[in-house]
C-alpha cells in the first residue's frame, strides 16, 4: 500500500492536529491515544512515512528502528509502568485491524492487562 500523506498521524506530525506529546526525538514522536484503553496508552510512531510494521521493518534505517525501540522503553519507564509491566502491540494490515496507515506501536500499562488476545478483542 502506498503511504497516504494525509493520514491522521501524518497530520499530527505536521502539527495540523493537536496531540498530547509524551516523547519526541529526531526519529520518533509519542503521544497519548485519543481513546485510551488502559490508564497508560501511548502511541509511538516513527517520523518517517512508513505504512505499517512490515514496511518499517523492511525499509527503515537501523537508526530509525533503534530509536523507536529505545523510545518505547524510555516512555514505559517515564510513565512508571516498567516495573509492574506493560504491553507493546502493533496492528499490521487488515487482518490485524490496523486503522491508521502510519506505523505505530501501542504501549499499554497501568493495570493488569489480562491475556494476550482475549476473545473480546477478536473481530467478528
Ligand atoms: P490501530 O487500530 O491503527 O492500531 O490504532 C489506531 C489508534 O489511533 C486507535 O487506538 C485510536 O484511538 C488512535 N487515534 C485515532 N485518531 C487519533 C487522533 O487523532 N489522535 C490520537 N491521539 N489518537 C488517535
Amino acid at each position: 500500500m502506498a503511504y497516504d500523506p494525509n493520514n491522521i498521524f501524518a497530520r499530527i506530525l505536521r502539527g495540523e492536529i493537536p496531540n498530547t506529546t509524551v516523547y519526541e526525538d529526531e526519529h520518533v514522536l509519542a503521544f497519548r491515544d485519543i481513546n485510551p484503553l488502559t490508564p497508560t496508552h501511548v502511541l509511538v510512531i516513527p517520523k518517517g512515512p512508513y505504512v505499517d510494521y512490515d514496511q518499517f521493518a523492511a525499509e527503515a534505517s537501523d537508526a530509525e528502528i533503534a530509536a523507536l525501540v529505545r523510545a518505547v522503553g524510555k516512555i514505559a519507564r517515564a510513565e512508571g509502568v516498567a516495573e509492574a509491566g506493560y504491553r507493546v502491540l502493533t496492528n499490521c494490515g487488515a487482518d490485524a485491524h490496523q486503522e491508521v496507515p502510519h506505523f505505530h506501536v501501542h504501549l499499554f500499562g497501568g493495570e493488569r492487562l489480562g491475556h494476550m488476545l482475549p476473545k473480546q478483542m477478536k473481530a467478528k
Side-chain angles (χ1 to χ4, degrees), residues 19-95:
N19 73 91
T20 308
T21 298
V22 299
Y23 177 85
E24 183 168 14
D25 66 25
E26 181 188 356
H27 296 298
V28 175
L29 181 70
F31 49 90
R32 298 201 186 281
D33 197 291
I34 203 167
N35 182 25
L37 298 175
T38 52
T40 292
H41 185 175
V42 174
L43 300 169
V44 188
I45 74 173
K47 290 185 172 176
Y50 302 102
V51 172
D52 58 16
Y53 179 88
D54 189 63
Q55 188 186 19
F56 186 71
E59 298 177 14
S61 68
D62 289 356
E64 290 174 297
I65 292 171
L68 191 120
V69 172
R70 292 218 187 270
V72 172
K74 285 180 199 166
I75 296 159
R77 291 190 290 276
E79 291 285 314
V81 299
E83 194 168 328
Y86 58 91
R87 181 166 294 152
V88 176
L89 179 149
T90 187
N91 295 314
C92 179
D95 270 5

Side-chain angles (χ1 to χ4, degrees), residues 94-97 117-124:
D95 270 5
H97 209 278
L117 279 180
K119 285 196 174 94
Q120 63 267 28
M121 278 179 66
K122 293 189 179 174
K124 295 286 174 265

Side-chain angles (χ1 to χ4, degrees), residues 3-19:
Y3 183 78
D4 170 11
N6 289 318
N7 78 75
I8 198 102
F9 292 171
R11 298 182 65 200
I12 284 175
L13 281 167
R14 290 197 295 270
E16 294 168 9
I17 294 176
N19 73 91

